[in-house]
Amino acid sequence: MSLWQRPLKRLQAMTEYRTYRFRLNSLKGFLSLFLVGTVLSVALAACSGGTGSNSSTEPPNANASPVAATKDNVELTLVSFAVTKAAHEAIIPKFVEQWKKDHNQTVVFKQSYGGSGSQTRAVIDGLEADVVHLALSGDTSKIEKAGLIQPGWEKEVPNNGIVSKTVAALVTRPGNPKGIKTWQDLAKADVKLITADPKTSGIAKWNFLALWNSVIKTGGDETKATEFVTKVYNNVPILTKDAREATDTFTKQGQGDTLINYENEIILAQQKGQKVDYVVPDVNISIDNPIAVVDKNVDKHGTREVAEGFVKYLYTPEAQQEFVKFGFRPVDETLAQTKEVTDKFPKVKTLGTVADFGGWEAIDKKFFADGGLFDKIQAQKKR
């Protein structure tokens, strides 16, 4: 029985809840200070935090009913993948201010950040997100297949639902002693690569696609691509379960010569004062992150108008500029041509997309399903 179904105990429960929140927020503050010095994994580890008095980043309780929207106030639950946290914390207050001005209604945000795959499962299992911003469209499609998002969600907003994007980058040891400049360098016998397992990690799927794409986009066929990717994974001493563990393996344990990571993660780490040597290969993959309204939940909560308003706001130049500040490449083509953007990001000469490979359903079936190409590569891996 939920809190709201126990009116006789409401006052006691609310008092206990506020006490819990105070203790939890104090603990979060201590942990945040503890994690400040961590290279790159700071942002990957940042799955919770705050943006001020009108937002909360406690993972919403899947069994609790959200506060009903009223004329004066509305609560919106945003569920996103971890690396968007800093950008959303900058964007949300601007949206809240604009919505208040235009609608005379106060929006209170509840936010949840974590790995895209785990966030997807949480929403399917009952986390009542109003809006989801995930690492790949394949995750959003899973929520659609669960009956929570109506088909055609990607056509409801610009750019086929893609609201943020980045590319893959190669982090090297200081001074790049192995001279790593291109994807092909990862196949050299003396180079050890750290990456996560694409069977368990969303970013690792992007990593695999970046490697595959580097051959296809330079004139190679699938046979050559398979040979190349097999060589690279022969140079991976350990497949970690997720991107955070991969980063920790490289930075804290000192394993490997290079690490594949999101470009925006590296930029964010540099903004936090970390010195990171990295290369952005000029043949790359567009790492596209979709946004979607969770139809079943917004209709239940009465939050469709504000949820759609927030999604629409994320495409505005004001919001896109905030994404740029935190290392994401803009989806707004006009903004992409500005000096601010061209100076900030290395130019990518050849950029592949998921569409080039038939979309996520086809990609998962071909590469990552049980018995797919990745499993075959692992079975042939040198011991």
Short mmCIF file of all heavy atoms in Angstrom, two decimals, residues 132-161:
data_model
loop_
_atom_site.label_atom_id
_atom_site.label_comp_id
_atom_site.label_asym_id
_atom_site.label_seq_id
_atom_site.Cartn_x
_atom_site.Cartn_y
_atom_site.Cartn_z
N VAL A 132 12.28 10.32 -21.11
CA VAL A 132 13.52 9.53 -21.07
C VAL A 132 14.50 10.10 -22.10
O VAL A 132 14.14 10.39 -23.23
CB VAL A 132 13.26 8.03 -21.35
CG1 VAL A 132 12.57 7.37 -20.17
CG2 VAL A 132 12.46 7.81 -22.64
N HIS A 133 15.74 10.26 -21.66
CA HIS A 133 16.84 10.71 -22.52
C HIS A 133 17.92 9.65 -22.38
O HIS A 133 18.58 9.56 -21.36
CB HIS A 133 17.34 12.08 -22.05
CG HIS A 133 18.41 12.67 -22.91
ND1 HIS A 133 19.09 13.80 -22.56
CD2 HIS A 133 18.93 12.28 -24.11
CE1 HIS A 133 19.98 14.11 -23.49
NE2 HIS A 133 19.90 13.19 -24.43
N LEU A 134 18.06 8.80 -23.42
CA LEU A 134 18.89 7.62 -23.30
C LEU A 134 20.06 7.65 -24.29
O LEU A 134 20.15 8.50 -25.16
CB LEU A 134 18.04 6.37 -23.51
CG LEU A 134 16.90 6.22 -22.48
CD1 LEU A 134 15.96 5.09 -22.85
CD2 LEU A 134 17.46 6.01 -21.06
N ALA A 135 20.98 6.70 -24.12
CA ALA A 135 22.23 6.71 -24.88
C ALA A 135 22.05 6.24 -26.32
O ALA A 135 22.83 6.59 -27.19
CB ALA A 135 23.28 5.85 -24.19
N LEU A 136 21.02 5.45 -26.56
CA LEU A 136 20.82 4.95 -27.91
C LEU A 136 19.35 4.64 -28.16
O LEU A 136 18.60 4.29 -27.24
CB LEU A 136 21.68 3.71 -28.18
CG LEU A 136 21.77 2.61 -27.12
CD1 LEU A 136 20.75 1.54 -27.41
CD2 LEU A 136 23.16 2.03 -27.09
N SER A 137 18.94 4.80 -29.41
CA SER A 137 17.53 4.63 -29.77
C SER A 137 17.04 3.22 -29.52
O SER A 137 15.84 3.00 -29.30
CB SER A 137 17.33 5.00 -31.24
OG SER A 137 17.61 6.37 -31.46
N GLY A 138 17.95 2.26 -29.54
CA GLY A 138 17.55 0.89 -29.26
C GLY A 138 16.95 0.74 -27.88
O GLY A 138 16.02 -0.05 -27.67
N ASP A 139 17.45 1.52 -26.90
CA ASP A 139 16.89 1.45 -25.55
C ASP A 139 15.49 2.06 -25.52
O ASP A 139 14.59 1.53 -24.87
CB ASP A 139 17.81 2.19 -24.57
CG ASP A 139 19.06 1.39 -24.23
OD1 ASP A 139 19.07 0.17 -24.48
OD2 ASP A 139 20.02 1.98 -23.71
N THR A 140 15.31 3.19 -26.22
CA THR A 140 13.98 3.80 -26.28
C THR A 140 12.98 2.84 -26.94
O THR A 140 11.83 2.75 -26.52
CB THR A 140 14.03 5.13 -27.04
OG1 THR A 140 15.13 5.91 -26.55
CG2 THR A 140 12.74 5.91 -26.88
N SER A 141 13.44 2.14 -27.95
CA SER A 141 12.57 1.18 -28.65
C SER A 141 12.12 0.05 -27.73
O SER A 141 11.02 -0.47 -27.87
CB SER A 141 13.29 0.62 -29.87
OG SER A 141 13.53 1.63 -30.83
N LYS A 142 12.98 -0.32 -26.79
CA LYS A 142 12.59 -1.36 -25.83
C LYS A 142 11.43 -0.88 -24.95
O LYS A 142 10.52 -1.66 -24.63
CB LYS A 142 13.79 -1.75 -24.96
CG LYS A 142 14.89 -2.49 -25.72
CD LYS A 142 16.09 -2.76 -24.82
CE LYS A 142 17.20 -3.44 -25.61
NZ LYS A 142 18.43 -3.65 -24.78
N ILE A 143 11.48 0.39 -24.56
CA ILE A 143 10.39 0.96 -23.76
C ILE A 143 9.12 1.03 -24.61
O ILE A 143 8.01 0.78 -24.11
CB ILE A 143 10.78 2.34 -23.22
CG1 ILE A 143 12.02 2.22 -22.33
CG2 ILE A 143 9.63 2.96 -22.44
CD1 ILE A 143 12.56 3.55 -21.84
N GLU A 144 9.27 1.34 -25.88
CA GLU A 144 8.13 1.35 -26.81
C GLU A 144 7.51 -0.05 -26.90
O GLU A 144 6.29 -0.21 -26.80
CB GLU A 144 8.58 1.80 -28.19
CG GLU A 144 7.49 1.74 -29.25
CD GLU A 144 8.04 1.92 -30.66
OE1 GLU A 144 9.08 2.58 -30.83
OE2 GLU A 144 7.41 1.40 -31.60
N LYS A 145 8.36 -1.06 -27.05
CA LYS A 145 7.86 -2.43 -27.17
C LYS A 145 7.18 -2.91 -25.89
O LYS A 145 6.33 -3.81 -25.94
CB LYS A 145 9.01 -3.37 -27.55
CG LYS A 145 9.51 -3.16 -28.98
CD LYS A 145 10.68 -4.08 -29.31
CE LYS A 145 11.15 -3.87 -30.73
NZ LYS A 145 12.33 -4.71 -31.07
N ALA A 146 7.54 -2.30 -24.78
CA ALA A 146 6.89 -2.64 -23.50
C ALA A 146 5.53 -1.97 -23.37
O ALA A 146 4.83 -2.19 -22.38
CB ALA A 146 7.79 -2.23 -22.34
N GLY A 147 5.15 -1.16 -24.36
CA GLY A 147 3.84 -0.54 -24.37
C GLY A 147 3.75 0.79 -23.66
O GLY A 147 2.64 1.31 -23.46
N LEU A 148 4.90 1.39 -23.30
CA LEU A 148 4.89 2.65 -22.56
C LEU A 148 5.00 3.87 -23.46
O LEU A 148 4.58 4.97 -23.09
CB LEU A 148 6.02 2.65 -21.53
CG LEU A 148 5.96 1.55 -20.47
CD1 LEU A 148 7.21 1.58 -19.60
CD2 LEU A 148 4.72 1.70 -19.60
N ILE A 149 5.60 3.71 -24.62
CA ILE A 149 5.76 4.79 -25.58
C ILE A 149 5.06 4.39 -26.88
O ILE A 149 5.23 3.26 -27.36
CB ILE A 149 7.25 5.08 -25.86
CG1 ILE A 149 7.94 5.58 -24.59
CG2 ILE A 149 7.42 6.11 -26.97
CD1 ILE A 149 9.45 5.80 -24.74
N GLN A 150 4.29 5.32 -27.43
CA GLN A 150 3.57 5.03 -28.66
C GLN A 150 4.52 4.98 -29.86
O GLN A 150 5.49 5.75 -29.91
CB GLN A 150 2.50 6.10 -28.91
CG GLN A 150 1.36 6.09 -27.92
CD GLN A 150 0.58 4.77 -27.96
OE1 GLN A 150 0.27 4.25 -29.02
NE2 GLN A 150 0.30 4.23 -26.78
N PRO A 151 4.28 4.08 -30.82
CA PRO A 151 5.11 4.04 -32.04
C PRO A 151 5.11 5.40 -32.74
O PRO A 151 4.12 6.13 -32.69
CB PRO A 151 4.41 2.97 -32.89
CG PRO A 151 3.68 2.11 -31.90
CD PRO A 151 3.23 3.04 -30.81
N GLY A 152 6.22 5.73 -33.36
CA GLY A 152 6.35 7.00 -34.06
C GLY A 152 6.87 8.12 -33.19
O GLY A 152 6.88 9.28 -33.61
N TRP A 153 7.35 7.79 -31.98
CA TRP A 153 7.86 8.82 -31.05
C TRP A 153 8.96 9.66 -31.68
O TRP A 153 9.06 10.87 -31.42
CB TRP A 153 8.36 8.17 -29.77
CG TRP A 153 9.45 7.15 -29.99
CD1 TRP A 153 9.28 5.81 -30.20
CD2 TRP A 153 10.85 7.39 -30.05
NE1 TRP A 153 10.49 5.19 -30.39
CE2 TRP A 153 11.48 6.14 -30.31
CE3 TRP A 153 11.65 8.53 -29.92
CZ2 TRP A 153 12.86 5.99 -30.42
CZ3 TRP A 153 13.03 8.39 -30.03
CH2 TRP A 153 13.62 7.14 -30.28
N GLU A 154 9.79 9.03 -32.52
CA GLU A 154 10.92 9.76 -33.10
C GLU A 154 10.49 10.80 -34.12
O GLU A 154 11.28 11.69 -34.48
CB GLU A 154 11.92 8.78 -33.72
CG GLU A 154 11.41 8.04 -34.94
CD GLU A 154 10.60 6.80 -34.61
OE1 GLU A 154 10.14 6.65 -33.46
OE2 GLU A 154 10.43 5.95 -35.50
N LYS A 155 9.25 10.72 -34.58
CA LYS A 155 8.74 11.70 -35.55
C LYS A 155 8.03 12.87 -34.88
O LYS A 155 7.64 13.83 -35.55
CB LYS A 155 7.77 11.01 -36.52
CG LYS A 155 8.36 9.82 -37.27
CD LYS A 155 9.57 10.22 -38.09
CE LYS A 155 10.14 9.01 -38.86
NZ LYS A 155 11.38 9.36 -39.60
N GLU A 156 7.87 12.80 -33.57
CA GLU A 156 7.16 13.85 -32.84
C GLU A 156 8.01 15.09 -32.60
O GLU A 156 7.51 16.16 -32.28
CB GLU A 156 6.67 13.31 -31.48
CG GLU A 156 5.69 12.15 -31.59
CD GLU A 156 4.38 12.56 -32.24
OE1 GLU A 156 3.93 13.70 -32.00
OE2 GLU A 156 3.81 11.74 -32.99
N VAL A 157 9.33 14.94 -32.75
CA VAL A 157 10.26 16.04 -32.49
C VAL A 157 11.28 16.10 -33.62
O VAL A 157 11.35 15.18 -34.45
CB VAL A 157 10.98 15.85 -31.13
CG1 VAL A 157 10.01 16.04 -29.98
CG2 VAL A 157 11.62 14.48 -31.04
N PRO A 158 12.07 17.16 -33.69
CA PRO A 158 13.05 17.27 -34.78
C PRO A 158 14.12 16.19 -34.73
O PRO A 158 14.31 15.50 -33.72
CB PRO A 158 13.68 18.65 -34.53
CG PRO A 158 12.69 19.40 -33.71
CD PRO A 158 12.01 18.37 -32.85
N ASN A 159 14.81 16.04 -35.85
CA ASN A 159 16.04 15.23 -35.93
C ASN A 159 15.82 13.77 -35.53
O ASN A 159 16.69 13.12 -34.95
CB ASN A 159 17.11 15.85 -35.03
CG ASN A 159 18.51 15.46 -35.44
OD1 ASN A 159 18.82 15.36 -36.61
ND2 ASN A 159 19.37 15.25 -34.46
N ASN A 160 14.62 13.25 -35.84
CA ASN A 160 14.29 11.85 -35.53
C ASN A 160 14.49 11.51 -34.05
O ASN A 160 14.88 10.40 -33.69
CB ASN A 160 15.12 10.89 -36.39
CG ASN A 160 14.65 10.86 -37.83
OD1 ASN A 160 13.45 10.88 -38.10
ND2 ASN A 160 15.58 10.84 -38.76
N GLY A 161 14.19 12.50 -33.21
CA GLY A 161 14.24 12.25 -31.78
C GLY A 161 15.61 12.40 -31.15
O GLY A 161 15.74 12.29 -29.93
#
